[in-house]
Amino acid sequence: IILELQDVPGSEYGEIWDNIYGTIWDHIFGHRNHAIIFLLAPFKDNCAENINGHFEMKKVSLQNAIDRDYLSEQFGLLKAYVGALSSKNMSKRRKPKIVILFINKFDAFSSVNPKDSSSKDVADKIREQFSKHILYVEKSAKTIGFECKIVLGSTVEKFGVSETLDNIKNILY
C-alpha cells in the first residue's frame, strides 16, 4: 500500500483538477482509491504564535472571529469542486471514495480537544457556522456516492489529525 499525499492550495484550481483526474499512469495501471480533504476555517488570519519553539493559537471570541465573507468564499469553492464530481463526464473510477471536511482552527476558541465533552458548546457553535457547507457535502455524498466525514480540529495542536487519517485508512484500505 502506497499512500500519496498531495497538498494543493485551494486557489490552485488547475492543479487540484489534475490531481483528481490523475496522470496517464493512473489510466494505464487502472483504478486508484483516493480521498479529498477540504480544509475549512472560520477566518483567514493565521493566529498561531511561536512561543519558545511551539506554535500556539491566540484565543479569540467565536462571535468576533467569524469572517462571514470568508465562509461564503469557501462555500462557493466547495460547491464548485463537489458539484463537478457529479458530472457525467467524471469517470466513476476518478471519484473519491471519501470527502472530509476538516474544519480547522478549533484551538483559537478552545484549548481542549473538540472530542472532549467540555468543548461540546464550542464544537456545536462552530458546526453551526459551517452548517451550510456540511449539509451540501452530506447531500452530495448521498447523490454522488462517496463517504462524507466532518472533522473539527487544529493543524497546530493536531486535534482531529489522527481521526482524519483513520477515516481515510478505514475507507480506502
Side-chain angles (χ1 to χ4, degrees):
I1 296 174
I2 298 172
L3 177 63
E4 179 183 328
L5 178 64
Q6 299 282 333
D7 182 9
V8 182
S11 60
E12 296 296 326
Y13 310 113
E15 191 173 338
I16 290 170
W17 287 116
D18 288 345
N19 278 286
I20 290 173
Y21 288 131
T23 65
I24 187 68
W25 299 110
D26 297 320
H27 298 288
I28 291 170
F29 293 114
H31 179 72
R32 82 178 170 166
N33 292 333
H34 63 281
I36 297 177
I37 303 170
F38 290 103
L39 186 66
L40 304 175
F43 52 87
K44 273 186 188 180
D45 295 337
N46 180 4
C47 295
E49 295 179 305
N50 187 342
I51 301 171
N52 298 324
H54 175 73
F55 284 94
E56 292 183 21
M57 286 293 275
K58 289 186 274 186
K59 300 297 179 253
V60 293
S61 159
L62 186 62
Q63 298 301 329
N64 297 331
I66 301 296
D67 181 341
R68 303 255 177 248
D69 291 338
Y70 190 53
L71 290 181
S72 294
E73 179 183 333
Q74 292 174 95
F75 184 65
L77 290 170
L78 187 66
K79 280 184 74 171
Y81 289 125
V82 174
L85 296 175
S86 68
S87 166
K88 290 178 182 19
N89 294 325
M90 176 69 80
S91 165
K92 196 166 190 70
R93 59 182 247 193
R94 296 305 312 156
K95 290 182 183 176
K97 298 278 186 197
I98 182 172
V99 171
I100 298 173
L101 294 184
F102 187 98
I103 302 173
N104 197 23
K105 299 186 180 178
F106 188 85
D107 54 336
F109 309 109
S110 175
S111 54
V112 181
N113 189 310
K115 290 287 187 186
D116 190 292
S117 61
S118 66
S119 66
K120 183 182 178 336
D121 288 344
V122 174
D124 289 346
K125 288 177 183 171
I126 291 175
R127 273 194 186 87
E128 182 182 315
Q129 297 300 318
F130 286 93
S131 62
K132 189 163 64 167
H133 304 68
I134 292 168
L135 290 172
Y136 179 77
V137 175
E138 287 177 339
K139 180 181 173 194
S140 298
K142 289 177 186 165
T143 305
I144 299 170
F146 58 81
E147 191 78 26
C148 173
K149 298 290 182 183
I150 312 304
V151 178
L152 297 181
S154 162
T155 54
V156 172
E157 294 295 331
K158 308 291 188 256
F159 297 155
V161 173
S162 293
E163 178 184 354
T164 300
L165 294 173
D166 287 345
N167 281 324
I168 293 170
K169 181 181 71 175
N170 292 338
I171 297 297
L172 298 188
Y173 305 106

